[in-house]
């Protein structure tokens, strides 16, 4: 996707010692970057703060990561914000997160217009508390006409629930006679996932050092490259993002085939 060279250079001024814009090939930016944002609680604990303070600090990181994605010219930027399993957390933490999602999204709508970003959600947002659901629906509606980057927020998302949902959709169409069994193929499944129409992630980043997927995008990341950093989400900066892209550019994706002759 298109990126603004002047804005990008300015954005990446004063680099740290180990990484700079010169380390990445701007002609080879991943189309879809996805982040499993983890470590807010540990970040807060290390500072003697309440977990909620970690989530609030995490919002600033997310804002920066959205801007970084736009500056780098990523087509789709998605983040895992709340899983179907996160309902198991203490009620006050769940309430705080839901409220934080709503207030942040409302506050950041001008950023989406300024950067021409279109919003999208992965997950069952119908089941969210009313305040959050309404703001999400408003965000969807208002940014639908934006033509730049797609920013997808996975909330009340679980890959297994997503696959169950797709299976039910397919089964009901087959039962109704509107879909034949022969047409149930990979595309039929992909097009009934929350990610329908989007390219699969090229690069999945997980912060805070955990080497697991926690029920995130199981189908879509079959061939994604995985990058784990020990940086906790509230500390994740534009430089960490660049480090991940640099690492990704050094990988050789084979998709089950053999290395192309160079
Ligand atoms: C990630 O941080 C944010 C959400 C899952 C909402 P955590 O809250 O999982 O932080 P840790 O893993 O306990 O440090
Ligand atoms: C993964 O983080 C989910 C999100 C980032 C929303 P968790 O903190 O919930 O995952 P586990 O419990 O470490 O697997
Ligand atoms: Mg966690």
């Amino acid at each position: 996707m298109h990126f603004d060279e002047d804005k990008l250079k300015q954005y990446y001024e004063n680099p740290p010692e180990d990484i700079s814009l010169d380390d990445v090939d701007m002609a080879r930016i991943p189309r879809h970057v996805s982040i499993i944002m983890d470590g807010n609680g540990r970040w807060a604990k290390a500072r003697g703060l309440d977990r909620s303070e970690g989530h609030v600090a995490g919002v600033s990181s997310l804002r920066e990561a959205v801007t970084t994605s736009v500056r780098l010219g990523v087509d789709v930027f998605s983040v895992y914000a709340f899983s179907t399993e996160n309902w198991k957390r203490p009620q006050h933490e769940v309430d705080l997160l839901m409220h934080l999602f709503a207030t942040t999204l409302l506050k950041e709508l001008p950023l989406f217009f300024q950067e021409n970003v279109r919003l999208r959600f992965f997950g069952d947002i119908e089941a969210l508390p009313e305040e959050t659901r309404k703001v999400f629906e408003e965000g969807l509606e208002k940014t639908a006409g934006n033509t730049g980057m797609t920013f997808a927020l996975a909330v009340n998302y679980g890959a297994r629930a997503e696959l169950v949902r797709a299976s039910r959709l397919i089964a009901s169409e087959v039962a109704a006679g509107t879909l034949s069994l022969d047409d149930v193929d990979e595309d039929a499944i992909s097009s009934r996932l929350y990610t329908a129409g989007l390219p699969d992630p090229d690069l999945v980043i997980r912060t805070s050092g955990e080497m697991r997927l926690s029920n995130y995008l199981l189908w879509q990341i079959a061939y994604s490259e995985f990058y784990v950093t020990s940086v906790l989400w509230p500390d994740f900066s534009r430089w960490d993002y660049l480090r991940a892209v640099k690492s990704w550019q050094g990988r050789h994706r084979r998709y089950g085939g053999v290395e192309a002759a160079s």
Side-chain angles (χ1 to χ4, degrees):
M1 192 199 256
H2 169 81
F3 68 95
D4 184 323
E5 203 169 332
D6 290 340
K7 273 193 185 170
L8 180 69
K9 281 200 172 135
Q10 205 181 15
Y11 188 70
Y12 272 114
E13 263 175 8
N14 306 318
E17 259 173 33
D18 69 304
I19 184 96
S20 80
L21 204 49
D22 296 335
D23 293 320
V24 304
D25 177 358
M26 288 307 297
R28 264 189 338 115
I29 291 296
R31 274 185 80 192
H32 182 172
V33 176
S34 196
I35 304 187
I36 302 173
M37 308 182 288
D38 198 16
N40 294 352
R42 277 162 281 174
W43 182 91
K45 196 175 171 206
R47 283 163 181 73
L49 302 169
D50 188 71
R51 290 177 61 84
S52 60
E53 308 260 14
H55 297 314
V56 171
V59 168
S60 308
S61 292
L62 180 53
R63 191 182 200 281
E64 177 160 336
V66 169
T67 307
T68 307
S69 303
V70 173
R71 292 289 167 273
L72 290 174
V74 164
D75 279 332
V76 181
F77 176 57
S78 54
V79 294
Y80 201 10
F82 192 91
S83 72
T84 44
E85 289 71 37
N86 286 148
W87 297 108
K88 290 189 278 198
R89 295 190 178 201
Q91 191 60 42
H92 65 91
E93 184 173 346
V94 170
D95 291 347
L96 173 114
L97 283 166
M98 290 299 151
H99 183 62
L100 199 58
F101 294 147
T103 50
T104 304
L105 198 68
L106 260 188
K107 201 174 120 219
E108 298 301 346
L109 273 181
L111 173 74
F112 297 145
F113 285 102
Q114 189 191 310
E115 303 292 355
N116 196 18
V117 168
R118 183 178 26 209
L119 251 186
R120 186 155 168 166
F121 293 96
F122 299 161
D124 182 10
I125 65 167
E126 296 284 313
L128 298 180
E130 190 173 331
E131 180 204 22
T132 312
R133 182 175 54 77
K134 281 198 168 151
V135 172
F136 281 11
E137 282 165 359
E138 186 186 331
L140 269 181
E141 221 172 276
K142 287 198 168 155
T143 63
N146 291 350
T147 55
M149 187 181 80
T150 295
F151 169 49
L153 203 56
V155 175
N156 192 19
Y157 175 84
R160 289 183 174 180
E162 178 184 41
L163 288 166
V164 168
R165 177 178 170 270
S167 307
R168 285 188 180 164
L169 288 171
I170 289 172
S172 68
E173 288 171 52
V174 170
T178 52
L179 183 70
S180 82
L181 207 50
D182 287 343
D183 289 330
V184 179
D185 54 13
E186 293 190 7
D187 285 342
I189 294 173
S190 292
S191 66
R192 286 164 183 82
L193 301 178
Y194 293 116
T195 47
L198 300 177
D200 287 339
D202 300 291
L203 168 63
V204 175
I205 300 170
R206 183 159 183 155
T207 58
S208 91
E210 238 59 85
M211 301 208 192
R212 56 175 170 261
L213 290 169
S214 304
N215 200 14
Y216 191 49
L217 302 179
L218 299 180
W219 171 276
Q220 298 88 337
I221 61 176
Y223 274 104
S224 306
E225 295 289 330
F226 206 49
Y227 178 88
V228 176
T229 170
S230 57
V231 172
L232 303 175
W233 177 248
D235 290 327
F236 189 86
S237 72
R238 66 191 73 183
W239 304 105
D240 296 308
Y241 199 133
L242 211 56
R243 288 181 184 102
V245 172
K246 181 189 171 190
S247 165
W248 177 83
Q249 289 186 341
R251 316 259 183 110
H252 300 279
R253 301 173 83 185
R254 286 185 291 273
Y255 300 99
V258 290
E259 197 88 45
S262 56

